Amino acid sequence: MYSFKAPVDDIMFSLRHVAQVDGLPGWEISDAEDVLGHFAEFAENVLAPLNAIGDREGAQYSDGQVQMPTGFVDAYKQLSDDGWQGLTAPVEFGGQDVSPLIVAGVSEIFTGANHSLQMVCALAPGAIATLRLFGSSQQQTEWIPKLASGEFLSTMCLTEAAAGSDLSVISTRAVLTKTGWSLSGEKIYISGGGQDLTDGILHLVLARSGDADAGLSGLSLFLCPSQPGVRVTRIEDKMGLHASPTCQMLFDDAAAELIGEEGAGLKAMFKMMNEVRIDVALQGVAHASAAAYVAQRYAAERKQGRTIEGNAAKLCDHADVRRMLDEQRILAIGTRGICHIAIKEIQLAQKPALVEFLTSLCKVMGSEAGIRSADLGIQILGGCGYLTEYGMSQIWRDARITAIYEGANGIHKRGLVTRGLRKGGAMDDFAVLVQALGEGDQSVNDDVEHWLKVAKQLSESDDRTPQSHAFTELCANVLRKAVWVRIATMAHHHSDAEELLRLSATVLNEERIYKVSQHD
């Protein structure tokens, strides 16, 4: 099995020259290089060696307690002691207030090294952001320092057995008593609902405080620290992410505090969910990159067959293998750039409809890139890819969940063709963004013109949901092509400019027709 190598150069190139974030508030090149360099060293030497161990041992459950695999407790202690859990927290609360653009790079590296541990740790920044926006001064003062120091980790408790994607039927009850709010109900699929990394866990729980028939308007968000009234009743046996405990939780008259306004729980929870959705997209990018790295190493070493000249050949000498290796790199580099562009738009905070549109598109594209790259990696390695020795099968299994959690991809596709095309939505802003990325390329301009025609026709349809998949593919293809024009233009800034130009030519020289069949 090959050791994990953090793609720091690719990340820095993408941030600086694809997303072009230089000059944004809070972004400093030296800070980014320093933070990413230090975390890459930590990830390669501490986190990555535990990845296969975690997959093999898995998280264990006994009598309501969850135990993490060998080495995870010590690794988390080093992670928190070194301040990595407090990157996004304000300085006044013990954090470092690092730019979200730098944090995005850290998150990708973390996932590539050890997705399971990243999953358990990654909800704390979202909880911090939610408390900063909706929490009271007292809640912020009490909880943000504990999350920033790593003393507490956090969860997001939404899903119930009868309420998956349809949150309007959530039944967990919140009752206001003389001593405060009390929660009762069951939640499922709670990442990190139990673990032995920290003494405490801060659960953010979406519960019904209004009438049973009030739907989404009856939901409120609550802060509920671990206590006797909160317990894990089981952990799930999963295909992947074995070291990340996915818990079924019971809240039994558990004391809680309201976050924000009663009845506005979904608004507050969506802040945390949107933070996580971009992170999920980067999880996909991390898997795409990790799978490409392993496949490239293997293909460059494995002797197989002969060249057309009759000489001994390596796997990478064969045209079809080179095609698959190129596709892996194209998926990782291009999709990373798209995610970074979306994060830049979030930072600019000027086009909320575009941010919503890009968030869903990134979630779909990032998750599918990771799965596709891992699948290609298995094919490149052949029988060795199907074995566990080289880690490719784990990459595929761990990546597969990204298309399901934080909103199944079908839900995001539906949102793109419905909310994304509503009046006052992201249509014009998306077209402008793509044209800007295309650097004046006529082919990109033609694509945008076609995309606008299709989008306008769909926006006038009474039911455009049957076209959600095709429209998402159209959006992805148009944006991907424009991003690769930008990559080609800026390739000279990369340490391997020749390789980027070669990959750009592969993408841009392909004959593609961006059409939805019903709107030719």
Side-chain angles (χ1 to χ4, degrees), residues 268-335:
M269 183 58 84
F270 265 114
K271 170 60 182 175
M272 190 171 186
M273 290 174 68
N274 284 331
E275 294 251 342
V276 174
R277 283 167 175 168
I278 287 289
D279 195 58
V280 170
L282 288 169
Q283 289 172 358
V285 170
H287 287 303
S289 181
Y293 176 74
V294 173
Q296 285 175 324
R297 290 284 304 274
Y298 183 87
E301 297 174 3
R302 177 77 161 95
K303 294 179 181 180
Q304 186 68 50
R306 292 188 174 277
T307 66
I308 58 173
E309 293 84 8
N311 301 319
K314 296 176 181 177
L315 270 181
C316 60
D317 294 323
H318 298 289
D320 195 56
V321 173
R322 291 199 303 272
R323 173 190 63 81
M324 291 187 286
L325 291 169
D326 284 353
E327 185 177 348
Q328 286 183 303
R329 285 284 283 159
I330 288 166
L331 286 166
I333 295 169
T335 313

Side-chain angles (χ1 to χ4, degrees), residues 16-282:
R16 295 196 61 204
H17 303 294
V18 181
Q20 299 184 346
V21 303
D22 288 357
L24 286 183
W27 167 264
E28 293 290 342
I29 298 169
S30 58
D31 289 346
E33 292 175 337
D34 185 54
V35 171
L36 294 181
H38 279 88
F39 191 78
E41 182 179 1
F42 176 69
E44 291 167 359
N45 295 319
V46 178
L47 300 176
L50 298 175
N51 195 37
I53 295 171
D55 185 59
R56 185 169 59 249
E57 292 185 10
Q60 302 297 317
Y61 172 80
S62 178
D63 297 327
Q65 301 300 313
V66 178
Q67 183 178 2
M68 298 294 284
T70 302
F72 275 58
V73 172
D74 290 341
Y76 178 76
K77 185 178 187 304
Q78 186 174 343
L79 180 87
S80 56
D81 286 350
D82 290 348
W84 294 111
Q85 283 298 102
L87 287 183
T88 64
V91 174
E92 61 266 29
F93 292 124
Q96 301 177 51
D97 206 13
V98 169
S99 166
L101 296 158
I102 300 175
V103 174
V106 170
S107 182
E108 181 191 332
I109 294 169
F110 199 159
T111 300
N114 194 319
H115 188 176
S116 285
L117 186 56
Q118 190 268 354
M119 270 294 298
V120 177
C121 298
L123 292 173
I128 290 171
T130 302
L131 287 168
R132 290 179 70 178
L133 278 178
F134 302 103
S136 66
S137 297
Q138 182 177 347
Q139 289 169 340
Q140 293 174 3
T141 301
E142 180 176 4
W143 291 109
I144 293 180
K146 293 177 181 178
L147 293 167
S149 69
E151 178 186 352
F152 269 64
L153 283 169
S154 182
T155 70
M156 183 168 62
C157 302
L158 284 77
T159 309
E160 300 177 5
S165 300
D166 184 5
L167 299 179
S168 66
V169 294
I170 279 178
S171 62
T172 295
R173 292 291 303 173
V175 178
L176 185 59
T177 69
K178 292 180 180 179
T179 57
W181 289 95
S182 173
L183 301 181
S184 296
E186 292 186 76
K187 297 287 184 179
I188 62 171
Y189 299 157
I190 309 305
S191 298
Q195 36 82 3
D196 59 351
L197 304 175
T198 60
D199 292 333
I201 302 173
L202 181 64
H203 303 288
L204 268 61
V205 186
L206 198 62
R208 186 163 300 285
S209 60
D211 295 337
D213 59 354
L216 296 175
S217 63
L219 300 177
S220 301
L221 184 62
F222 294 90
L223 177 159
C224 183
S226 51
Q227 56 188 275
V230 180
R231 61 189 179 93
V232 177
T233 56
R234 62 173 283 176
I235 61 174
E236 305 296 346
D237 186 8
K238 310 189 298 295
M239 180 172 78
L241 294 183
H242 293 161
S244 174
T246 302
C247 304
Q248 183 171 312
M249 309 283 300
L250 176 65
F251 295 85
D252 184 11
D253 273 339
E257 295 179 22
L258 179 68
I259 301 177
E261 299 176 5
E262 185 180 354
L266 206 59
K267 177 182 177 182
M269 183 58 84
F270 265 114
K271 170 60 182 175
M272 190 171 186
M273 290 174 68
N274 284 331
E275 294 251 342
V276 174
R277 283 167 175 168
I278 287 289
D279 195 58
V280 170
L282 288 169

